[in-house]
Amino acid sequence: PTRTCCTAASCRPIPAGSSFLKSLRYVVIDECHTYRGVFGSHVAQVLRRLRRLCARYGSSPVFLLASATAAEPAVAAGRLTGLPVVEVADDASPRGELVFALWEPPLTELHGEKGAPVRRTATAEAADLLTDLTVQGVRSVAFVRSRRGAELISVISQERLSEVDRSLARRVAAYRGGYLPEERRALERALHSGELLGLAATNALELGIDISGLDAVVIAGYPGTRASLWQQAGRAGRSGQGALAVLVARDDPLDTFLVHHPEALFDQPVESTVLDPDNPYVLAPHLCAAAAELPLTDEDLDLFGPASEPLLPQLEAAKLLRRRTRAWHWTRRERAADLADIRGAGGRPIQVVETGTGRLLGTVDAGASHSTVHEGAVHLHQGRTYLVRSLDLEDSVALVEEAAPPYSTVARDTTSISVLETDVEIPWGDGRLCYGSVEVTNQVVSFLRRRLITGEVLGETKLDLPPRTLRTRAVWWTVTEDQLDRARINPEILGGALHAAEHASIGLLPLFATCDRWDIGGVSIPLHPDTLLPTVFVYDGHPGGAGFAERAFHTARTWLAATREAIASCECDAGCPSCIQSPKCGNGNDPLHKRGAVRLLTVLLEGAPEEKESADEADEADEADEADEADEADEADEADEADEATVQAAGDPAGPSEAPPVP
């Protein structure tokens, strides 16, 4: 007979009475700050299952956790392992001088939607910097937030290097999740040996890979957290020599805020690593897996936390577990461990296959497939451009063929949202600040073709893809007629003021909720049917919630104050991508009203309670302990394509906003 012992990477059969578990003394967890968000919650439960099996076989291993960028490391490690932790925080690592530059791309002669000024893209600027560094023989990595961006930087840099010296073009490449393992290992060896001078990479290269000896790091767009920023910058100068790091700002509210407020980066500690193992979407499958490994007893429930006991009747009703005498047993023949989607990808990955040859190019997460490999999408792979000819969701296959279109593609979605349950509600002047459960329905409806480099829209094509529904957690705020009167917001500009405030608040939230923009979405509605008031929603893009909306609730005062400052301090007249515009807004950034948003947020903040009051009320309602950070696993970086997509609330003229893929 066998039992199943699950590690963070995979599940494998372990013979009953295994000598391995009996003799296990140490468990080493490197880069422990990366185990956050939904992914971290899964790993926390995996470690609890491992501890339970070790106890069964008579061992009690010591857990050793390491991180170079963790705030409150003992607290974070304790949450992850469920054990008391002793902190060792003396830093004796050799480091040379690091010169850190904040780089804001210049304005171009182009004008965007509503005549707004447009800056040169961070992608184009990073490609120029990578090109110049390569010409100078400087070993460099350009980190970019999306797979597509990594490919584009690589292609642009290779083209420009070939004009200088054709041999240099071969010394720059792209590196991202979705490549086959042998391709990634070959790129790592080439970079380590010096055969490659420059690499455009996603955060797939951020952790756990030895690429010491780099001289410079270019970061195309704020990576979402200060921890990731310092992880990426720390890739240069690892042998003790001096190094250069450059953060190239994107044309959006958060990046613009940071380059003009460097103290928000350099005078603040890295974020705490937080997670919520009590998320029922995380906990339930791990209880099933634990019962399959060993029958689950009442004594085990303390190990898995207070939320485990209420879930057991639900698992029994679903005929997944059955109670016999004093324990719960797994009832099915299939592996219970397969129920836990540890990476949170939302289903089977989509295989990207080249037509004609049948060659497997790579994979795309199911949650991102509707927006990235829909029919007609441009797909980049190792510097080659492909057009998606078909997407078969049933067989999880996207068929592509090599092509050279002069454009990129960006998907557009529609979103509607309904309130399921309000857990916490506090007054904000006459309005309310709320936190609770919502249901989000999302559908990719079309895609734009945009000219490379300039971003000029060449056309829009409709798509027929099924909607997807997500039950998650959200924070929302309402305003009353009296507040609107004090803010001088009439019905004609109400939609634009709400919409502008929503866009900017989504852009600034990653600074406070330690998430990435693809992990959150939002909708603004002048009259929501559930609240019967003008309402702005910001929600988590993960089933059951990831804690970002909860953190937004706790920090609402400073979050919305920073949002107001970002809008008010922008030098534009009527709104631009640096403050309230989203270049991929599903409604063409219409309506937007910059001054109305500033006045609205000013009045809203006049009635804002102290943040401690918000937190206290949340504690009284027995909310989750802490908010989660973004999951930055390799498989998640494809979701960054949604960072450039926006959604429109169904039937709502004010509702377009950014949204993550819905699993």
Side-chain angles (χ1 to χ4, degrees):
T2 62
R3 302 293 185 194
T4 300
C5 176
C6 184
T7 70
S10 61
C11 298
R12 61 193 67 182
I14 297 291
S18 164
S19 60
F20 173 78
L21 290 177
K22 282 183 177 180
S23 59
L24 184 61
R25 294 294 177 265
Y26 299 99
V27 177
V28 181
I29 304 173
D30 196 15
E31 307 288 6
C32 65
H33 66 276
T34 62
Y35 298 110
R36 56 179 177 259
V38 173
F39 176 54
S41 299
H42 277 292
V43 173
Q45 293 297 349
V46 166
L47 295 179
R48 284 155 176 76
R49 286 164 50 196
L50 175 61
R51 289 174 50 206
R52 178 172 176 260
L53 285 174
C54 287
R56 166 66 175 80
Y57 293 111
S59 66
S60 179
V62 174
F63 285 77
L64 302 172
L65 299 93
S67 171
T69 51
E72 301 180 306
V75 176
R79 290 194 192 108
L80 188 64
T81 62
L83 293 167
V85 176
V86 176
E87 179 178 314
V88 179
D90 297 331
D91 184 3
S93 59
R95 293 292 305 179
E97 180 186 40
L98 176 67
V99 176
F100 209 121
L102 301 181
W103 186 291
E104 185 172 40
L107 290 169
T108 68
E109 296 180 354
L110 299 174
H111 294 279
E113 290 164 320
K114 310 301 178 186
V118 175
R119 294 190 181 277
R120 197 159 185 261
T121 66
T123 299
E125 290 287 287
D128 282 355
L129 288 169
L130 185 62
T131 300
D132 292 341
L133 291 166
T134 303
V135 169
Q136 296 296 324
V138 178
R139 295 179 60 187
S140 312
V141 167
F143 282 105
V144 61
R145 289 162 57 102
S146 72
R147 294 178 175 184
R148 177 175 298 176
E151 296 281 3
L152 277 174
I153 288 177
S154 172
V155 169
I156 295 169
S157 183
Q158 288 170 352
E159 290 177 351
R160 293 175 180 169
L161 286 168
S162 65
E163 298 172 0
V164 178
D165 183 344
R166 288 188 177 276
S167 65
L168 285 176
R170 297 192 297 271
R171 303 190 70 181
V172 171
Y175 183 104
R176 60 173 176 79
Y179 281 179
L180 300 178
E182 54 268 26
E183 293 175 320
R184 294 172 66 168
R185 301 295 87 79
L187 288 167
E188 292 162 17
R189 288 193 298 270
L191 183 64
H192 194 272
S193 68
E195 180 184 346
L196 282 176
L197 274 176
L199 204 61
T202 63
N203 60 10
L205 195 68
E206 182 179 322
L207 302 168
I209 298 170
D210 181 13
I211 54 171
S212 58
L214 292 179
D215 303 306
V217 167
V218 178
I219 304 170
Y222 181 61
T225 64
R226 287 182 291 273
S228 287
L229 182 75
W230 292 113
Q231 279 284 339
Q232 293 178 3
R235 284 307 200 176
R238 286 197 159 202
S239 300
Q241 77 274 21
L244 170 68
V246 183
L247 171 62
V248 182
R250 294 182 306 162
D251 200 7
D252 76 359
L254 179 56
D255 286 37
T256 302
F257 180 86
L258 291 174
V259 295
H260 290 281
H261 297 80
E263 67 279 1
L265 291 176
F266 302 118
D267 294 345
Q268 298 293 328
V270 296
E271 303 84 359
S272 298
T273 303
V274 290
L275 46 96
D276 181 16
D278 291 335
N279 181 334
Y281 290 87
V282 172
L283 179 56
H286 286 285
L287 290 175
C288 291
E293 291 157 359
L294 291 170
L296 195 63
T297 66
D298 290 329
E299 290 74 19
D300 294 325
L301 299 185
D302 288 340
L303 178 65
F304 292 101
S308 56
E309 186 172 359
L311 282 176
L312 293 174
Q314 300 176 39
L315 296 174
E316 285 189 273
K319 298 184 178 179
L320 295 170
L321 298 182
R322 179 182 303 167
R323 178 151 193 173
R324 298 173 183 166
T325 61
R326 298 179 55 194
W328 286 269
H329 297 255
W330 173 245
T331 63
R332 301 191 177 185
R333 300 184 64 179
E334 60 266 30
R335 296 197 328 158
D338 291 340
L339 293 176
D341 184 6
I342 290 179
R343 288 289 187 182
R348 274 201 313 171
I350 301 294
Q351 294 185 315
V352 181
V353 177
E354 186 178 22
T355 58
T357 66
R359 183 167 64 103
L360 175 65
L361 298 181
T363 60
V364 172
D365 292 340
S369 62
H370 286 210
S371 59
T372 58
V373 288
H374 54 76
E375 184 176 339
V378 173
H379 180 74
L380 298 177
H381 183 81
Q382 288 200 336
R384 295 177 180 265
T385 306
Y386 298 84
L387 276 176
V388 179
R389 294 306 180 191
S390 66
L391 172 61
D392 189 330
L393 295 172
E394 185 174 342
D395 291 335
S396 300
V397 173
L399 296 178
V400 303
E401 64 180 21
E402 193 166 355
Y407 58 83
S408 62
T409 54
V410 178
R412 280 184 165 174
D413 314 25
T414 64
T415 293
S416 61
I417 190 167
S418 59
V419 177
L420 300 178
E421 184 178 4
T422 302
D423 295 334
V424 189
E425 181 177 341
I426 61 175
W428 264 48
D430 297 332
R432 312 292 290 177
L433 177 71
C434 306
Y435 171 73
S437 298
V438 297
E439 183 172 84
V440 181
T441 301
N442 173 272
Q443 184 175 21
V444 174
V445 296
S446 66
F447 68 93
L448 298 179
R449 297 186 304 281
R450 288 188 174 269
R451 193 181 301 279
L452 296 174
I453 306 300
T454 66
E456 177 188 355
V457 177
L458 301 176
E460 182 175 3
T461 303
K462 300 297 182 183
L463 291 172
D464 183 20
L465 289 167
R468 291 176 291 181
T469 300
L470 171 71
R471 291 197 171 198
T472 186
R473 311 286 274 173
V475 59
W476 63 95
W477 48 270
T478 63
V479 290
T480 64
E481 285 192 26
D482 287 343
Q483 288 175 306
L484 295 177
D485 289 341
R486 293 203 303 275
R488 305 192 310 280
I489 304 293
N490 58 44
E492 287 73 24
I493 69 170
L494 173 58
L498 290 171
H499 191 191
E502 175 220 336
H503 271 190
S505 66
I506 289 174
L508 267 292
L509 181 56
L511 192 60
F512 300 92
T514 62
C515 61
D516 289 290
R517 282 180 84 161
W518 61 74
D519 288 297
I520 54 178
V523 177
S524 56
I525 303 178
L527 183 63
H528 191 274
D530 294 328
T531 66
L532 301 178
L533 288 169
T535 309
V536 172
F537 292 86
V538 176
Y539 62 87
D540 292 345
H542 297 274
F548 312 130
E550 184 188 8
R551 180 64 64 85
F553 178 84
H554 292 339
T555 63
R557 182 171 185 156
T558 53
W559 165 43
L560 294 180
T563 299
R564 182 201 172 280
E565 180 185 352
I567 301 173
S569 62
C570 187
E571 297 177 358
C572 69
D573 292 329
C576 69
S578 295
C579 58
I580 62 172
Q581 281 194 2
S582 173
K584 310 302 185 291
C585 177
N587 220 34
N589 283 299
D590 185 33
L592 285 178
H593 200 285
K594 177 180 177 178
R595 293 182 177 85
V598 173
R599 295 197 301 267
L600 181 62
L601 288 169
T602 300
V603 170
L604 185 70
L605 288 165
E606 287 174 355
E610 295 294 332
E611 284 169 3
K612 186 176 185 300
E613 296 175 21
S614 300
D616 288 345
E617 296 222 15
D619 292 340
E620 291 168 9
D622 290 326
E623 291 307 303
D625 292 335
E626 292 289 347
D628 289 340
E629 292 191 17
D631 176 5
E632 294 172 358
D634 290 356
E635 291 83 350
D637 46 24
E638 185 66 47
D640 187 40
E641 302 303 331
D643 180 48
E644 299 182 348
T646 55
V647 298
Q648 176 179 353
D652 167 40
S657 62
E658 300 172 53
V662 176

